[in-house]
């Protein structure tokens, strides 16, 4: 089955075509037009600017995705089984562009429409292309078994989710303040090292890791917020405050910026991994999965995988291929495919923006 996915929830305008068969999803095209360069100078996403940019590029992006997948738009109804579009959470004016476009195409082409939760999309990035040897981790058919724990870490969300089956989610815990990606972005802004903060911090942290195997006695130390709390919630805003105080007191901080980045990243990784393993044990899961933009972080990927192997015998580990970690439409089409199997369609008249749409 072929699905066109459309994603415009934040600052990426994306369209993709995927093919679904049984438990696997193959990506035929994945086009992302990023607005990062536009928002960089503001140090964050400006909603009104984002919305205008979505309007300008959404049709060319969809055209490109269809062309790359060999779908002739004049006979799209013959090729496509559904259109999946993000309905929320996200920025209202950004979401609107994708949704209105999807509604028009669904009406014009007579192709069923499926509204997808953005976070669910991130989770379903784990199902894309996993059967292509070399490109991804392993054969997905042997890999994702339920129940699964999903560590969902993005710019807007940090959640531990118990996934009991397709489209069946239970929220175990979430951040009480900043999301993990938001913490990276705010700390990077504080140190003036660029936007988005995740890649900026992780590159510097990696430099420090390679160059300094032995930490100095006066090494920067940051707290691991809520690591031992008896729930699955997180809190990252204190970490941002902690790094700010340290920097204010350290006249040499600019020369130690890589070290600050290393410790900041490790503090986040420690908390995320500790709670994920704890949840996996408590709920006796078959798989640990990771999803969202922060799952692009190489150290988090490496350390979580190794911890699952070490601590949770017989439990499988899955993470999306790097290109499906940050916002894209292939993940939305992938989630759409699994909803299509359950005939979970929405009439084009009823599909609406739902900024607070929840996965559970
Ligand atoms: O999922 P995503 O693309 O958008 C949202 O749904 O929010 O996530 C974007 C977030 C940003 O906060 C960005 O700093 C973070 O993901 N991110 C990273 C890395 N790449 C992107 N965080 C840590 N390390 C990375 N390599
Ligand atoms: Zn996202």
């Amino acid at each position: 089955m072929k699905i066109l996915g459309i994603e415009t929830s934040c600052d990426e305008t994306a369209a993709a075509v995927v093919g679904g068969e049984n438990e696997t999803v193959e990506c035929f095209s994945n086009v992302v037009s990023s607005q990062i360069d536009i928002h960089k100078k503001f140090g964050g996403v400006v909603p009104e600017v984002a919305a205008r940019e979505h309007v300008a590029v959404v049709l060319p992006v969809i055209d490109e995705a269809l062309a790359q997948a060999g779908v002739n738009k004049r006979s799209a109804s013959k090729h496509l089984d559904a259109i999946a579009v993000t309905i929320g959470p996200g920025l209202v004016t950004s979401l609107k562009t994708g949704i209105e476009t999807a509604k028009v195409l669904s009406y014009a082409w007579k192709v069923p429409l499926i509204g997808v939760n953005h976070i669910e999309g991130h989770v379903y990035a784990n199902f894309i292309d996993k059967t292509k040897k070399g490109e991804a981790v392993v054969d997905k058919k042997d890999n994702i078994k339920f129940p699964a724990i999903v560590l969902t870490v993005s710019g807007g969300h940090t959640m531990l989710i118990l996934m009991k089956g397709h489209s069946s989610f239970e929220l175990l815990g979430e951040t009480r303040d900043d999301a993990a990606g938001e913490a990276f972005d705010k700390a990077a802004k504080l140190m003036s090292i660029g936007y988005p903060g995740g890649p900026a911090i992780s590159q510097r942290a990696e430099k420090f890791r390679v160059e300094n195997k032995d930490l100095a006695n006066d090494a920067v130390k940051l707290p691991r917020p809520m690591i031992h709390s008896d729930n699955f919630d997180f809190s990252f805003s204190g970490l941002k405050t902690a790094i700010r105080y340290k920097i204010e007191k350290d006249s040499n901080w600019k020369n130690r910026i890589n070290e600050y980045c290393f410790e900041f990243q490790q503090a986040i990784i420690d908390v995320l991994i500790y709670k994920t393993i704890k949840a996996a044990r408590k709920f006796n899961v078959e798989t640990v999965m990771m999803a969202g933009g922060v799952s692009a972080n190489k150290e988090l990927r490496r350390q979580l995988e190794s911890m699952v192997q070490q601590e949770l015998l017989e439990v499988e580990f899955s993470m999306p291929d790097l290109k499906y970690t940050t916002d894209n439409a292939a993940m939305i089409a992938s989630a759409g495919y699994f909803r299509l199997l359950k005939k979970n369609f929405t009439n084009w008249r009823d599909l609406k923006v739902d900024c607070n749409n929840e996965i559970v």
Side-chain angles (χ1 to χ4, degrees):
M1 281 196 261
K2 241 181 219 174
I3 292 102
L4 167 68
I6 301 173
E7 151 67 40
T8 63
S9 69
C10 190
D11 59 342
E12 326 277 358
T13 319
V17 177
V18 307
E21 202 186 326
N22 302 322
E23 289 286 298
T24 61
V25 172
E26 189 180 345
C27 183
F28 298 131
S29 65
N30 184 33
V31 181
V32 181
S33 170
S34 174
Q35 304 177 9
I36 283 179
D37 287 340
I38 299 172
H39 299 287
K40 233 179 200 161
K41 50 183 171 289
F42 306 107
V45 178
V46 183
E48 194 52 40
V49 176
R52 284 185 209 174
E53 187 61 18
H54 284 308
V55 172
V57 304
V58 70
L59 289 176
V61 164
I62 291 172
D63 268 354
E64 181 65 26
L66 292 173
Q68 281 183 21
V71 175
N72 182 340
K73 64 181 172 186
R74 280 175 192 86
S75 52
S77 54
K78 286 205 204 95
H79 299 286
L80 295 175
D81 296 282
I83 299 172
V85 63
T86 309
I87 52 167
L91 302 169
V92 59
T93 45
S94 287
L95 288 161
K96 220 170 172 82
T97 307
I99 290 175
E100 294 305 323
T101 309
K103 285 165 81 160
V104 170
L105 294 180
S106 162
Y107 176 76
W109 292 341
K110 311 258 176 300
V111 173
L113 196 55
I114 301 169
V116 172
N117 175 287
H118 181 77
I119 304 298
E120 185 171 340
H122 276 301
V123 174
Y124 275 96
N126 277 278
F127 289 79
I128 308 173
D129 281 355
K130 291 298 175 83
T131 48
K132 279 189 195 161
K133 293 275 180 310
E135 211 187 356
V137 198
V138 265
D139 189 330
K140 210 70 280 202
K141 276 176 269 180
D142 300 331
N143 202 13
I144 294 186
K145 294 183 195 129
F146 300 117
I149 284 289
V150 196
L151 171 65
T152 310
V153 272
S154 71
H157 292 80
T158 300
M159 296 169 154
L160 268 173
I161 294 168
L162 179 63
M163 188 172 179
K164 297 174 192 157
H166 289 297
S167 313
S168 168
F169 305 98
E170 183 184 322
L171 180 65
L172 302 180
E174 62 188 327
T175 184
R176 295 185 177 179
D177 39 58
D178 292 352
E182 190 179 357
F184 272 104
D185 295 338
K186 287 180 174 170
K189 199 169 178 181
L190 203 79
M191 294 186 274
S192 309
I193 56 172
Y195 172 85
I201 288 182
S202 74
Q203 279 155 18
R204 284 166 179 81
E206 180 60 11
K207 227 168 157 226
F208 181 79
R209 193 181 69 83
V210 172
E211 289 168 5
N212 297 274
K213 289 259 180 301
D214 301 312
L215 293 180
N217 286 337
D218 68 339
V220 176
K221 271 277 149 249
L222 292 169
R224 270 57 178 162
M226 289 184 76
I227 194 161
H228 295 300
S229 67
D230 62 355
N231 52 39
F232 295 109
D233 284 346
F234 302 92
S235 165
F236 293 113
S237 75
L239 201 51
K240 172 195 66 198
T241 314
I243 198 168
R244 200 180 77 219
Y245 284 151
K246 291 250 183 234
I247 283 172
E248 278 169 7
K249 285 193 193 134
D250 182 358
S251 56
N252 194 32
W253 74 270
K254 280 197 174 144
N255 294 321
R256 298 177 74 182
I257 204 158
N258 293 351
E259 184 181 352
Y260 276 96
C261 289
F262 176 85
E263 174 62 6
F264 183 81
Q265 174 176 283
Q266 196 55 48
I268 291 183
I269 291 177
D270 284 348
V271 181
L272 293 177
I273 292 185
Y274 188 87
K275 293 219 161 171
T276 304
I277 300 287
K278 189 169 135 184
R281 280 213 183 93
K282 177 166 179 187
F283 293 93
N284 219 350
V285 297
E286 303 265 355
T287 309
V288 170
M289 274 195 255
M290 185 161 56
V294 181
S295 73
N297 187 283
K298 293 212 169 87
E299 269 309 295
L300 176 60
R301 292 168 80 87
R302 192 183 65 71
Q303 292 183 30
L304 181 56
E305 177 167 29
S306 111
M307 209 55 130
V308 170
Q309 281 165 357
Q310 208 176 298
E311 298 285 321
L312 306 168
L313 298 176
E314 317 263 307
V315 173
E316 303 290 347
F317 176 68
S318 169
M319 56 191 166
D321 196 82
L322 262 185
K323 59 180 171 293
Y324 306 124
T325 52
T326 48
D327 289 351
N328 65 86
M331 68 185 200
I332 302 301
S334 175
Y337 166 66
F338 287 96
R339 288 206 167 257
L340 173 73
L341 293 181
K342 296 190 171 179
K343 308 231 175 309
N344 217 322
F345 304 118
T346 318
N347 187 294
W348 68 267
R349 283 190 185 83
D350 301 327
L351 198 80
K352 287 190 187 79
V353 171
D354 184 1
C355 291
N356 300 317
N357 190 266
E358 289 184 359
I359 186 169
V360 286

